[in-house]
Amino acid sequence: HRAAKVLYLNFHPNWKRYLSLVIPASDLHRFPQDPEKAYKGKKVRARGEVTLYKGRPEMAVRSPEDIMVVP
């Protein structure tokens, strides 16, 4: 989901309960052209700090090196 200031990568239909990755809009230029398509349906390993935002777990990722597609 794209919002004005961030891109949310949700990996579960119940995104309010499961971890979402958050890419700030200011860092999107570092990622593949369409991160939504690049990571869609993929299993990934992400590195960063998990925080709760409005009761939902999320992890801010600022660099593509923080997300690795795994087999």
Side-chain angles (χ1 to χ4, degrees), residues 45-58:
R45 180 175 297 139
R47 179 180 50 201
E49 182 178 350
V50 176
T51 59
L52 288 178
Y53 177 74
K54 294 184 179 180
R56 297 185 299 252
E58 65 179 34

Side-chain angles (χ1 to χ4, degrees), residues 6-68:
V6 296
L7 169 72
Y8 295 96
L9 295 176
N10 301 311
F11 296 92
H12 192 276
N14 188 357
W15 54 269
K16 290 182 179 182
R17 190 158 184 221
Y18 290 83
L19 180 70
S20 293
L21 300 182
V22 180
I23 303 172
S26 59
D27 294 323
L28 275 174
H29 68 278
R30 297 180 182 155
F31 288 84
Q33 178 92 20
D34 290 316
E36 305 99 310
K37 291 179 185 174
Y39 300 115
K40 184 175 180 141
K42 306 274 174 55
K43 188 179 205 179
V44 300
R45 180 175 297 139
R47 179 180 50 201
E49 182 178 350
V50 176
T51 59
L52 288 178
Y53 177 74
K54 294 184 179 180
R56 297 185 299 252
E58 65 179 34
M59 178 187 299
V61 290
R62 305 199 62 135
S63 168
E65 288 80 30
D66 293 336
I67 305 174
M68 180 174 52

